[in-house]
Amino acid sequence: MAEQKSRRDFLNLLLGGGTLATLGAILYPTIKYITPPASGEANVTQLKLAFKRSDIEADPKKAKTFKFGRDLGIILITDTGELRALAARCTHLDCTVQNRPDLGILWCACHNGRYDYSGRNISGPPPRPLEQFAVNVVGEDIFVSREKA
Amino acid sequence: MPTTTGTKPPSTLGQKSFQWLDDRFHIKALVDYMSDKSVPRHGRSIWYYFGGISLFLFIVQVVTGILLLMYYRPGADSAYESVRFIVSEVSFGWLIRALHSWSANLMIFAVFIHMFSVYFEYSYRKPRELTWVSGIVLFGLALTFGFSGYLLPWNELAFFATRVGTGMAGAVPVIGENLLVIMRGGEEVTGATIGRFFGLHVAILPAIFTVVLTAHLVFIQRQGMSEPIDWTDKPESEKKYIKFFPNFLLRDLLVWLIVLNILAVLAVFLPDGIGLIHWPLGTKADPFAPPPPVIRPEWYFMFAFQALKFLPAHLFGLEGELVGIGAFTLGGLIWALAPFLNTKAHRGKPSTPFTLFGILVLLFMIGMTIAGYILE
Ligand code: FES
């Protein structure tokens, strides 16, 4: 009797374990498959922008967006004439922020999030500040780089 | 043995075909089964029709969706162009798109009414717990249909709504980052995202939906229509019924015909929608452009969108949207498990806390939706 029971336990264990292993063997590769491979351009630390200061000035918003590695960046001209570059992805739910020269802030239209020009989140739902990038102007060319290389 | 003992030999063509089928599939048993069923008749009988209306609109979705598939081409370089081609070049293309969009919106609306009426009537009580749960799954799938379909025209509004929508998934603790990458097919909303949403919208969701819908309908056929809870202690003599087959079915069909006409009128005269229910093709999505000044999701996501807008950045030491997502999950769980939690309803008694919860949910949704449209 006791032997019968332990044999059944053993079989159940085998069956249960086998089922789990099978499910795992199906699910693991599937989830791995649907996760896309990482894009190769993750570690861009410096970038030469494709446009000049005059292009930014010509823009009605006094700002332009650019792709910075995996990030989206925004470069703008403050009312003191300074060039500032920041991450353009809102830290709330990932909308693109835009310059509001009329308010002197970076503004996220999606949920009315506001940042000042050093990237600090000053009101609305954004939980974190925007990363600020260093800007170097060499002649006509604008270079943007991450603060910490 | 065939079950035709005692009936006259078949004479007309119709009777002959019926006989032929009956000999092979025992259809008569099915007809008898259906004619046995009856639908309770009372002051709130009108709510019984909304499940059928949802079903009808789903069928319209399948047909118009298949038609759209013939010209639609997913991809960042082709999606927008192909939709423009459908509405501007293809004969009646505008009509098919209008029907698909209108019927999607009406379906979600009918599903909302269906769900709330079942909830407030306590029709989910024993023995219909699983009918309710399968209905909730269908509701979730229907919303996912709406969300995945929204991106497909690849216009400005769709692009940003999808960024924010998937951004919400990214705010989920622990698995959020992976979830976001899986949904978007990368870090960003790109052509890869269209591919994924397209596959979801036209293959994965329809397959799952059909299976769950079949179960839902089989449950309903097995259980019959639920009687109102205040009938529990009524003597049989005071209860009124009408036959399901053919009487109720015919009324159902009549309602479908009316809905079809409403749909046709809306699609023909307002092909781009109207007011808040509006789907102009607009401009093509440009990942580098800032979002348009008014960005908003479809109306049935507005309440969630607006609630997130109201939440401050930090709440109870957590990120605001995390608290929001947590609250939505909890509320949804209570909603889905109502038949199991509401033990009073099983005993045939209305339960004030559950009714209040339902009213609260309804008021929250309506209030947030209105706020969302007014405050923008
Ligand atoms: S995504 Fe920017 S405020 Fe919500």
Side-chain angles (χ1 to χ4, degrees), chain A residues 31 33-39 61 65-67 70-72 88-98 107-112 121 124-128, chain B residues 159-160 163-168 171 178 180-182 184-188 196 287-295 305 308-309 311-314 319-321:
Chain A
I31 291 174
Y33 177 80
I34 61 173
T35 309
S39 54
K61 291 232 166 91
T65 41
F66 56 90
K67 197 153 165 48
R70 277 185 203 170
D71 286 318
L72 199 61
R89 249 184 233 253
C90 180
T91 56
H92 181 224
L93 295 175
D94 220 14
C95 240
T96 311
V97 298
Q98 54 189 299
W107 181 60
C108 177
C110 291
H111 308 97
N112 196 16
N121 43 324
R128 279 181 305 279
Chain B
F159 176 78
F160 282 103
R163 282 251 312 252
V164 173
T166 48
M168 255 172 96
N178 291 324
L180 180 129
V181 168
I182 289 177
R184 289 186 180 174
E187 314 260 333
E188 288 278 357
R196 277 167 194 240
F288 288 103
V294 175
I295 110 131
F305 182 83
L308 284 180
K309 237 178 183 171
L311 281 174
H314 297 279
E319 284 188 11
E321 73 261 21

Side-chain angles (χ1 to χ4, degrees), chain A residues 45-116:
Chain A
T45 50
Q46 204 190 34
L47 181 78
K48 186 180 142 199
L49 296 186
F51 39 80
K52 303 183 183 64
R53 189 185 167 105
S54 51
D55 298 325
I56 308 175
E57 267 160 5
D59 191 282
K61 291 232 166 91
K62 297 263 176 289
K64 280 203 162 286
T65 41
F66 56 90
K67 197 153 165 48
F68 193 28
R70 277 185 203 170
D71 286 318
L72 199 61
I74 183 167
I75 185 158
L76 57 91
I77 303 177
T78 65
D79 39 8
T80 54
E82 196 187 334
L83 277 173
R84 288 273 177 94
L86 300 109
R89 249 184 233 253
C90 180
T91 56
H92 181 224
L93 295 175
D94 220 14
C95 240
T96 311
V97 298
Q98 54 189 299
N99 187 24
R100 286 291 295 266
D102 50 331
L103 301 172
I105 56 157
L106 283 168
W107 181 60
C108 177
C110 291
H111 308 97
N112 196 16
R114 286 151 193 255
Y115 304 86
D116 67 17

Side-chain angles (χ1 to χ4, degrees), chain B residues 133-366:
Chain B
V133 172
S134 59
I136 296 288
V137 173
L138 289 173
F139 175 66
L141 290 172
L143 293 184
T144 318
F145 260 122
F147 181 65
S148 56
Y150 201 55
L151 177 69
L152 298 185
W154 195 241
N155 53 22
E156 221 181 11
L157 220 63
F159 176 78
F160 282 103
T162 305
R163 282 251 312 252
V164 173
T166 48
M168 255 172 96
V172 174
V174 191
I175 55 163
E177 200 56 34
N178 291 324
L179 212 60
L180 180 129
V181 168
I182 289 177
M183 285 171 85
R184 289 186 180 174
E187 314 260 333
E188 288 278 357
V189 174
T190 57
T193 321
I194 304 185
R196 277 167 194 240
F197 278 36
F198 178 67
L200 196 67
H201 194 78
V202 307
I204 301 175
L205 287 175
I208 303 175
F209 197 92
T210 307
V211 173
V212 183
L213 179 63
T214 309
H216 191 70
L217 294 177
V218 167
F219 291 165
I220 294 166
Q221 286 312 310
R222 292 298 286 173
Q223 298 165 334
M225 301 293 192
S226 114
E227 292 184 3
I229 202 158
D230 49 24
W231 275 24
T232 317
D233 302 318
K234 246 193 192 166
E236 276 313 307
S237 55
E238 279 178 36
K239 301 179 181 177
K240 280 200 232 133
Y241 298 93
I242 68 168
K243 285 216 156 308
F244 176 77
F245 185 84
N247 305 33
F248 188 77
L249 203 62
L250 284 175
R251 285 174 201 225
D252 243 348
L253 290 179
L254 179 66
V255 172
W256 288 18
L257 198 64
I258 295 171
V259 173
L260 179 65
N261 277 286
I262 295 175
L263 191 62
V265 168
L266 289 172
V268 168
F269 291 105
L270 303 165
D272 272 345
I274 183 173
L276 311 176
I277 311 168
H278 201 202
W279 45 86
L281 192 49
T283 48
K284 186 175 171 173
D286 171 7
F288 288 103
V294 175
I295 110 131
R296 60 182 183 213
E298 288 159 296
W299 58 267
Y300 44 88
F301 289 125
M302 188 45 130
F303 75 96
F305 182 83
Q306 183 58 35
L308 284 180
K309 237 178 183 171
F310 276 146
L311 281 174
H314 297 279
L315 211 63
F316 316 125
L318 290 167
E319 284 188 11
E321 73 261 21
L322 208 66
V323 177
I325 292 170
F328 281 137
T329 312
L330 187 70
L333 217 57
I334 296 179
W335 193 255
L337 297 180
F340 303 99
L341 303 174
N342 188 352
T343 46
K344 219 171 154 196
H346 291 324
R347 284 179 269 119
K349 299 219 174 47
S351 147
T352 320
F354 278 88
T355 302
L356 280 181
F357 179 67
I359 293 175
L360 217 70
V361 169
L362 195 59
L363 285 183
F364 174 78
M365 283 185 169
I366 295 176

